Amino acid sequence: MEYAVLSSKSNYTIFKFGNHVIRFKAPYSLEYYSSVKEWDHGYLVVMAKYRHSIQDEEEYIDLVPILEKLYFDVDEFLKPIKEVRVEYA
């Protein structure tokens, strides 16, 4: 699998790749991620739907510091990921 999956559930963002499931706090008003606009080795530009807005908003996620805090070998983990897809929970 050369793609990872981004989703949200409750107040968490979920990033899945291979056997890894990484959850981290999301903004309280996040309803869901609607699309991934850009993936650049750990940096995501996504469209997200929030409760307070009718339209989707552009959002940015930097996975590198999250992975570092979890003691991942960041380059090794991110290297095989060619694409990130949105999954609805």
Side-chain angles (χ1 to χ4, degrees):
M1 172 166 65
E2 292 185 344
Y3 69 90
V5 175
L6 180 72
S7 62
S8 63
K9 187 171 184 178
S10 300
N11 291 326
Y12 290 92
T13 293
I14 303 163
F15 187 85
K16 298 179 196 174
F17 182 68
N19 295 328
H20 299 282
V21 178
I22 300 164
R23 292 179 184 89
F24 50 95
K25 265 313 223 184
Y28 74 93
S29 62
L30 176 68
E31 291 183 350
Y32 57 85
Y33 295 106
S34 55
S35 66
V36 176
K37 293 177 70 176
E38 183 179 334
W39 165 252
D40 184 16
H41 195 71
Y43 187 76
L44 287 152
V45 179
V46 300
M47 295 304 290
K49 172 67 176 81
Y50 292 96
R51 285 185 211 116
H52 63 270
S53 178
I54 297 170
Q55 299 178 1
D56 290 0
E57 297 180 28
E58 193 168 87
E59 184 67 55
Y60 310 94
I61 301 170
D62 188 354
L63 291 172
V64 172
I66 295 166
L67 294 169
E68 288 173 344
K69 288 180 182 177
L70 294 171
Y71 301 101
F72 274 76
D73 180 332
V74 175
D75 289 329
E76 187 71 27
F77 179 74
L78 296 175
K79 185 177 181 178
I81 303 172
K82 305 298 181 209
E83 176 186 3
V84 179
R85 299 177 184 174
V86 170
E87 178 180 271
Y88 300 99

